[in-house]
DNA sequence: TACTAATAACTGACCAGTCAGTTATTAGTA
DNA sequence: TACTAATAACTGACTGGTCAGTTATTAGTA
């Protein structure tokens, strides 16, 4: 009819994978792996289902790319913050929490985390990637920061790995809460207030009386 | 072949629903809703798929029954513990944590929780049931116990609802960890040690200097 | 004999993955 | 600059398999 003004499609090989992953991130975060339809992912990415298979072998392949894509910035976040921590433990923890709230609050990472939890049994490999590349690194880094602070006499005795979990858990549950219960009418937890009150409270119990 | 010793089936109308729900609890906890096969549930319950439809309308109906079944004892647990709490807040919290570890550690409730998180978007009604009947009640009860303790001067100022989340979160994350990452090789967190160290630490920050 | 719990074969819908054909784009030619 | 051949990005109809839910039939029970 009118070939000049509205071509049926554009050839944009370079941009497609990124766009497909972005669309898949949304759909997977909404529906989980099994219930996500490739047709819907393709449509949201602005192409046909067949074209998705020009860029990815299988649906699981797309899922993998999404997890990688969601993980990468998180690793940078954790690495940079821990590597550059100069001062005492409370400063590091407040910095980490602040970044966590900013990054997780403003992206679909929470949705991906929920998806990983939900699909862990059916796709253990993805849980493994998520754990090995992200979660264990964060827990390990926080735990060794705590252990170092214990050596300096800043932090009371106790299992550093459990301390790390205690530090992270309320923030994580805040995100899961938002993804799971807020959509069905539960009142939200403000991540920022949660983060502040959590650290204020926990640090009192964490630090030795001398250093506090 | 041998009709007397092994009849092809028995008629046991009264027991079937309970057995189906028990089998479904396991399968759903393992696979989540979408990936669970009704055939597998039926087989594990010791009957055929068609027979399941004599007792339940749809697969979602079975899911509903499972959630109800998993919730009921938890509600009793929370209600009884809170209602009967006599002494100061630390005693109540230690009691609750102990029960939590015992009940969640020894049952498939953790699996159901994970399932609810994973399937929340696709079956919001079930997330609503889980929230309204269980989670909000527990959070609310803990929050009002904290608020009462604040009035008594036992607990420092701060949002009681956030305090409640802080109290529960590490235990919850411990369970999610076990369900999600331990199967792919992550080291376990001992729920019991976690619970003890968590309360020991948190209570220092929670209680006023006078009451501690 | 009448009744019904239970089975097992069946249906219909759905969907991941395929592929033959279509169309946008680029390279080559004059 | 205009035309054309060659290429490859893309489409959409199709297939093969899976599975929730149905039903014709069988077998246990009263």
């Amino acid at each position: 009819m009118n070939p000049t003004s509205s071509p049926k499609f554009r050839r944009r090989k370079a941009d497609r994978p990124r766009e497909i992953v972005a669309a898949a991130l949304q759909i997977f975060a909404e529906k989980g792996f099994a219930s996500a339809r490739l047709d819907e992912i393709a449509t949201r990415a602005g192409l046909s289902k067949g074209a998705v298979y020009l860029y990815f072998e299988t649906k699981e392949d797309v899922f993998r790319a999404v997890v990688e894509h969601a993980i990468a910035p998180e690793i940078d976040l954790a690495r940079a913050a821990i590597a550059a921590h100069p001062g005492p433990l409370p400063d590091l923890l407040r910095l980490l929490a602040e970044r966590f709230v900013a990054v997780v609050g403003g992206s679909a990472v929470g949705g991906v985390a929920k998806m990983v939890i939900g699909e862990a049994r059916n796709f253990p490999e993805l849980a493994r990637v998520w754990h090995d590349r992200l979660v264990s690194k964060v827990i390990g880094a926080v735990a060794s920061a705590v252990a170092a602070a214990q050596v300096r006499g800043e932090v009371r005795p106790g299992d550093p790995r459990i301390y790390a979990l205690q530090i992270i858990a309320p923030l994580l549950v805040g995100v899961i809460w938002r993804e799971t219960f807020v959509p069905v009418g539960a009142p939200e937890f403000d991540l920022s207030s949660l983060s502040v009150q959590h650290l204020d409270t926990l640090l009192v119990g964490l630090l030795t009386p001398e250093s506090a």
Side-chain angles (χ1 to χ4, degrees), chain A:
Chain A
M1 308 298 212
N2 194 344
T4 56
S5 74
S6 61
K8 208 168 177 183
F9 58 84
R10 291 287 159 93
R11 307 172 70 180
R12 305 190 358 267
K13 187 178 182 176
D15 298 329
R16 294 305 197 191
R18 194 173 351 114
E19 292 169 357
I20 293 167
V21 167
L25 170 61
Q26 296 174 22
I27 306 283
F28 281 140
E30 277 172 32
K31 317 245 167 131
F33 181 79
S35 300
R37 303 294 148 226
L38 258 176
D39 251 325
E40 199 181 346
I41 292 171
T43 303
R44 189 169 303 190
L47 34 56
S48 69
K49 187 172 74 164
V52 172
Y53 284 90
L54 298 172
Y55 300 100
F56 298 94
E57 296 262 318
T58 62
K59 187 184 179 185
E60 201 170 332
D61 228 47
V62 177
F63 193 106
R64 239 184 295 277
V66 166
V67 172
E68 292 282 349
H69 180 261
I71 283 179
E74 300 313 299
I75 290 180
D76 295 344
L77 160 78
R79 283 248 173 85
I82 308 260
H85 91 283
L89 189 69
D91 296 349
L92 173 63
L93 294 187
R94 287 187 206 279
L95 186 70
L96 278 176
E98 196 182 304
R99 296 263 190 106
F100 179 93
V101 171
V103 170
V104 175
S107 72
V109 177
V112 177
K114 198 183 59 128
M115 164 179 74
V116 169
I117 292 170
E119 307 282 354
R121 296 266 183 175
N122 299 327
F123 304 93
E125 188 198 341
L126 295 162
R128 188 173 293 119
V129 171
W130 190 258
H131 171 264
D132 293 351
R133 308 260 313 255
L134 176 62
V135 178
S136 74
K137 286 216 159 59
V138 172
I139 292 266
V142 174
S144 41
V146 169
Q150 283 177 323
V151 171
R152 296 196 302 271
E154 252 185 74
V155 168
R156 302 180 202 225
D159 183 337
R161 208 158 146 271
I162 293 184
Y163 278 141
L165 189 86
Q166 291 180 249
I167 290 164
I168 294 165
L171 296 173
L172 186 58
V173 171
V175 173
I176 292 175
W177 182 278
R178 189 186 63 185
E179 300 288 329
T180 306
F181 297 125
V182 172
V184 298
E188 196 153 358
F189 282 96
D190 177 61
L191 274 185
S192 189
S193 326
L194 171 58
S195 161
V196 170
Q197 176 168 329
H198 164 52
L199 281 184
D200 283 350
T201 313
L202 187 67
L203 281 171
V204 176
L206 210 56
L207 300 177
T208 53
E210 307 86 62
S211 78

